[in-house]
Amino acid sequence: MRTLVLNAGYEPLAVVSFKRALVLVMNEKATVIEHVEGEPVWGTRSVFDRPAVIVLTRYVRVPTARRTPVTRRGVLRRDGFRCGYCGASASTIDHILPRSRGGRDTWENLVACCLRCNNVKSDRTPQEMGWELRFAPGAPRSTSWTVRGAERADPRWEPYLALAA
């Protein structure tokens, strides 16, 4: 069971275990705004609602330069596991400007790619192949990327994640 943590301004911060969320609530550092019906947590002296969404009582300053790190899994997820060249199912990633020519590992230079297109393209650019990308790759910007753990969102979280999008 996981819990969405909101800052005092109701912007999503993170997803934590319900145990961590319950500790924040019990220490009065957060309050429960959504809970799981019918699944209370029994303590030695009292019963608590199992938190689904909590809001911190004090505002936590978050660095604005929160940049999502580039990973193979992230590129595949961003592109929906579809090849950026032909649209087939993708299992690899491709450097648009090959690394041998100075291409970097950036969101803008990486695209999900099927094995066939990756092998045919080899060490060339899409322009040299006469290919076009189906979309312009870039860094992901939705809250499911900046809030760790929000990619598998609980339906109760949607109103709070939608506010930040």
Side-chain angles (χ1 to χ4, degrees), residues 4-163:
L4 177 65
V5 179
L6 303 176
N7 210 341
Y10 282 78
E11 62 269 5
L13 281 181
V15 176
V16 298
S17 69
F18 93 88
K19 289 179 184 179
R20 174 71 180 132
L22 199 55
V23 167
L24 289 169
V25 171
M26 291 171 70
N27 289 329
E28 298 179 357
K29 294 184 178 187
T31 56
V32 178
I33 55 174
E34 295 275 341
H35 64 274
V36 180
E37 293 289 333
E39 293 186 33
V41 178
W42 295 86
T44 55
R45 295 188 183 142
S46 57
V47 178
F48 298 95
D49 289 330
R50 187 176 299 257
V53 180
I54 62 172
V55 61
L56 297 177
T57 54
R58 300 180 87 187
Y59 187 82
V60 175
R61 192 175 157 277
V62 180
T64 55
R66 217 184 216 188
R67 183 127 168 102
T68 308
V70 179
T71 61
R72 176 184 179 278
R73 185 172 163 217
V75 171
L76 289 168
R77 191 174 131 219
R78 176 199 66 187
D79 298 348
F81 293 89
R82 291 282 163 210
C83 179
Y85 301 112
C86 70
S89 179
S91 58
T92 65
I93 59 171
D94 179 59
H95 288 80
I96 299 166
L97 177 63
R99 288 186 356 199
S100 63
R101 298 184 185 192
R104 311 282 314 252
D105 290 337
T106 63
W107 286 108
E108 294 76 19
N109 192 46
L110 292 171
V111 67
C113 192
C114 67
L115 196 56
R116 183 182 160 282
C117 287
N118 207 345
N119 287 332
V120 169
K121 182 178 170 284
S122 185
D123 198 22
R124 296 175 286 215
T125 65
Q127 292 79 18
E128 292 170 350
M129 297 293 297
W131 291 359
E132 284 189 29
L133 283 168
R134 296 178 23 212
F135 58 90
R141 287 177 171 51
S142 75
T143 44
S144 66
W145 292 88
T146 56
V147 179
R148 290 184 58 176
E151 61 272 1
R152 293 177 292 135
D154 185 307
R156 288 178 287 263
W157 301 352
E158 288 181 23
Y160 307 101
L161 292 175
L163 292 173

